[in-house]
Amino acid sequence: MSRRKLVVGNWKMNGLKAQLAEVEAIGRVAAEHPAVEVGLCVPATLIMAAAERKGAAFIGGQDCHMNASGAHTGCLSAEMLAEAGAEWIIVGHSERREAQGETDEHVAAKAFAAKAAGLKVILCVGESLDVRDAGDAESVVSAQLLASLPEGAAADWLAIAYEPIWAIGTGRIPTMEAVAAMHAALRASLASRIGGQADAMRILYGGSMNGDNAAELMALADVDGGLVGGASLTAEKFAPIIAAAG
Ligand code: 13P
């Protein structure tokens, strides 16, 4: 099964209007690599302006509420984000699971709501260092994935991102063998739930991906792209990762 590589920047809580020039530059890099699907998940405040400057990249958001509307001060619905110009949304990032107390059930509900609003979804999973050190990473992350998987999960609107929490922003990554084993385990778990769709679903790696390690990571059989934090903030750092994907 050949799956089109998906390389997505997660800007997290970074980016003011001054950084829209980077969106434009990254959109131009994306145009040079049509075999790769490239996107930027920017802060919600930038989605509208970024969508006008995205070139060949897509623009996404970083979270949405699970409800369509209502008394949820400070929150944004998937429909609002879609109307602003988002085409994809990240759900279940570990920074939200940890700091906002999001559970697997919340994550599944958010993914379902996003799909209902016409968004595509990147669903994040990953283990803590304690779990990795205890040797339980594959079973824990597989269980997290199955518990977070929305109803109707299918490869045309859902991608998975494996992001070991201890690799995010630290400059440390698992061994290539560990990444390969995790991605194979996650694909097997997906197959147990969604059958043949598992083969077509993209499973991204995230956590300290950069221009030096991206090619080796994305050459692994079940690694279908990357979810990139720090190295996606400028075209200069992001371009080599996009190039490494194809
Ligand atoms: P870094 O690439 O900065 O480690 O962040 C990864 C991440 O959390 C992307 O969602």
Side-chain angles (χ1 to χ4, degrees), residues 3-8 26-27 29-39 56-58 202 204 218 224-226 238-246:
R3 294 173 292 266
R4 187 180 179 204
K5 289 279 196 289
L6 174 60
V7 176
V8 182
I26 289 164
V29 175
E32 290 162 15
H33 299 278
V36 185
E37 191 170 1
V38 177
F58 64 75
R202 271 92 57 97
L204 316 183
M218 289 192 282
D224 307 308
F238 201 26
I241 299 176
I242 296 167

Side-chain angles (χ1 to χ4, degrees), residues 92 94 97 124-128 131 137 140-141 144-145 161-166 182 186:
S94 59
R97 289 179 184 263
C124 303
V125 293
E127 83 283 1
S128 66
V131 167
V140 166
V141 179
Q144 188 187 35
L145 173 58
Y162 166 58
E163 299 203 307
I165 296 168
W166 52 273
M182 177 64 79
L186 295 180

Side-chain angles (χ1 to χ4, degrees), residues 10 12 93 95 163 167-169 207-209 227-230:
N10 173 10
K12 308 190 180 185
H93 195 283
E95 287 154 15
E163 299 203 307
I168 294 176
S208 296
M209 187 181 265
L227 185 57
V228 185

Side-chain angles (χ1 to χ4, degrees), residues 18-95:
Q19 276 73 53
L20 289 169
E22 295 295 342
V23 174
E24 247 169 46
I26 289 164
R28 285 194 295 271
V29 175
E32 290 162 15
H33 299 278
V36 185
E37 191 170 1
V38 177
L40 283 178
C41 292
V42 297
T45 46
L46 287 185
I47 289 175
M48 269 194 198
E52 288 170 4
R53 294 164 174 79
K54 66 187 176 60
F58 64 75
I59 298 301
Q62 301 171 9
D63 175 52
C64 67
H65 200 277
M66 67 184 83
N67 292 349
S69 63
H72 304 290
T73 302
C75 299
L76 298 170
S77 72
E79 187 181 17
M80 291 170 182
L81 293 154
E83 187 184 62
E87 296 175 67
W88 283 76
I89 195 94
I90 297 170
V91 299
H93 195 283
S94 59
E95 287 154 15

Side-chain angles (χ1 to χ4, degrees), residues 76-245:
L76 298 170
S77 72
E79 187 181 17
M80 291 170 182
L81 293 154
E83 187 184 62
E87 296 175 67
W88 283 76
I89 195 94
I90 297 170
V91 299
H93 195 283
S94 59
E95 287 154 15
R96 295 198 59 84
R97 289 179 184 263
E98 285 190 339
Q100 266 73 37
E102 288 187 6
T103 64
D104 294 335
E105 292 71 26
H106 293 144
V107 174
K110 285 173 181 231
F112 190 77
K115 160 74 167 118
L119 292 168
K120 296 180 183 178
V121 175
I122 296 171
L123 192 168
C124 303
V125 293
E127 83 283 1
S128 66
L129 192 54
D130 284 351
V131 167
R132 170 62 60 181
D133 287 344
D136 297 332
E138 285 167 35
S139 60
V140 166
V141 179
S142 294
Q144 188 187 35
L145 173 58
L146 291 181
S148 305
L149 212 57
E151 210 178 292
D156 62 349
W157 66 272
L158 184 69
I160 308 302
Y162 166 58
E163 299 203 307
I165 296 168
W166 52 273
I168 294 176
T170 60
R172 294 178 60 198
I173 63 169
T175 63
M176 293 297 152
E177 292 71 23
V179 174
M182 177 64 79
H183 281 238
L186 295 180
R187 197 172 305 284
S189 295
L190 286 171
S192 75
R193 178 71 62 83
I194 58 172
Q197 280 292 317
D199 230 17
M201 193 167 285
R202 271 92 57 97
I203 306 178
L204 316 183
Y205 170 81
S208 296
M209 187 181 265
N210 59 40
D212 294 330
N213 60 30
E216 199 179 355
L217 283 163
M218 289 192 282
L220 297 171
D222 284 299
V223 177
D224 307 308
L227 185 57
V228 185
S232 73
L233 291 171
T234 63
E236 188 188 356
K237 286 191 176 155
F238 201 26
I241 299 176
I242 296 167

